[in-house]
Amino acid sequence: MKLGHVMANLLSLTQQLQQLYRKVFPIPCLLCGLVTEGQALCESCIAELPVIQQCCIHCAIPIEQGQICGQCLKKPPIQDSSLSLYRYEQAVPRMMSALKYHRQIQLADICAREFIAYHSLATPPDVLLPIPLHPSRLRQRGYNQSLLFTDTLAQLLKIPCRPELLKRVKKTATQTQLNAKQRHKNMRQAFKYDSSFVPEHVAIIDDVMTSGATTHEAARVLKRAGVETIEVWTIARAISHY
Ligand SMILES: [Zn+2]
Ligand SMILES: [Zn+2]
């Protein structure tokens, strides 16, 4: 038998084994519990997630009309533009918590695929920069959910992911209980740009944008390093403003 045939047989055997495995150990959808096609969410739950249809170009907050929200008209954020996939409501908070705290890392792939399906990028950034975790938090959690999301985006978009450029140098307090002002204070001096290579156009990537304090601080450090154009991409956008 020729090598090509052997490889083709092996491939089909692998596929059959995968199908068998999924039948014996089906993956239940994280949200509705029904058996999925081998991924963390079923297609109908994905289709029901609250996609942001229209949002402020600067801060990605959902708005009914126009391009810029009232807050950004008064004082625009440091980043030039922002994109987010879902409103942080309905099943999204549960999903984000599963991704962040319960090792449901496959959700990062689904979100990256959906993000690209909903956003066409006129001018793609030169590099993608995930918001880093402090090394001690990374050790504790074992993975950075924003890096997982960024890695899949990078593969699908064929844009380099460069997590080493931005470092987390301050161990910040958990932001959940803090108001917007306290969050900004908490994040001050949290990041350091750590390279002599400065790309022109960067997308900073995080899981959830709430007050915008984290991405604001990262954007401030990048502008100071000389980055010209900064976008902020997130999976979900909380409706409370910064
Ligand atoms: Zn489902
Ligand atoms: Zn805005």
Side-chain angles (χ1 to χ4, degrees):
M1 214 190 288
K2 285 190 181 144
L3 187 63
H5 285 135
V6 177
M7 292 306 285
N9 282 341
L10 266 178
L11 203 63
S12 114
L13 183 68
T14 317
Q15 282 165 351
Q16 283 170 23
L17 280 174
Q18 273 175 351
Q19 281 169 5
L20 183 70
Y21 183 85
R22 278 183 205 143
K23 266 196 188 130
V24 182
F25 304 105
I27 301 179
C29 168
L30 196 77
L31 298 175
C32 72
L34 291 178
V35 173
T36 69
E37 298 285 321
Q39 57 177 15
L41 297 179
C42 74
E43 289 300 330
S44 61
C45 282
I46 294 175
E48 276 176 25
L49 292 169
V51 172
I52 298 175
Q53 301 294 349
Q54 193 174 358
C55 67
C56 170
I57 53 170
H58 288 311
C59 73
I61 205 151
I63 45 176
E64 297 289 315
Q65 52 189 354
Q67 287 203 306
I68 302 172
C69 75
Q71 193 77 28
C72 289
L73 278 174
K74 276 189 254 162
K75 188 175 183 256
I78 291 181
Q79 70 265 24
D80 299 275
S81 61
S82 298
L83 284 176
S84 194
L85 177 59
Y86 298 125
R87 291 166 179 265
Y88 190 69
E89 59 188 32
Q90 297 171 35
V92 177
R94 224 174 107 201
M95 231 171 86
M96 292 297 97
S97 150
L99 169 64
K100 197 166 174 178
Y101 302 112
H102 305 292
R103 296 192 168 267
Q104 291 289 336
I105 55 179
Q106 219 207 14
L107 290 170
D109 293 343
I110 297 176
C111 292
R113 193 190 72 198
E114 294 297 303
F115 187 92
I116 290 170
Y118 282 99
H119 297 300
S120 55
L121 305 169
T123 321
D126 304 321
V127 299
L128 307 182
L129 286 188
I131 288 289
L133 291 178
H134 190 268
S136 63
R137 179 139 317 150
L138 184 62
R139 271 197 299 278
Q140 204 177 30
R141 194 177 294 164
Y143 63 98
N144 173 358
Q145 71 285 356
S146 299
L147 172 61
L148 296 174
F149 175 57
T150 310
D151 261 339
T152 312
L153 285 174
Q155 282 168 28
L156 296 172
L157 293 169
K158 300 190 172 44
I159 300 172
C161 165
R162 299 285 303 270
E164 76 285 3
L165 299 180
L166 190 65
K167 298 252 158 65
R168 189 108 171 195
V169 288
K170 184 175 133 188
K171 199 177 170 198
T172 49
T174 309
Q175 310 235 75
T176 328
Q177 303 300 327
L178 306 179
N179 66 29
K181 203 172 167 192
Q182 291 166 325
R183 284 178 185 224
H184 279 276
K185 196 173 166 207
N186 184 38
M187 288 312 298
R188 220 165 282 157
Q189 315 289 341
F191 302 109
K192 179 180 161 219
Y193 193 79
D194 200 21
S195 175
S196 54
F197 161 70
V198 180
E200 242 174 64
H201 182 180
V202 163
I204 302 171
I205 300 176
D206 208 0
D207 52 351
V208 183
M209 184 171 176
T210 306
S211 66
T214 307
T215 47
H216 168 92
E217 184 60 19
R220 193 183 66 78
V221 169
L222 291 181
K223 278 275 166 174
R224 188 175 272 184
V227 177
E228 272 177 36
T229 308
I230 299 173
E231 300 188 30
V232 169
W233 297 356
T234 50
I235 300 175
R237 179 67 162 106
I239 308 308
S240 64
H241 213 293
Y242 61 90

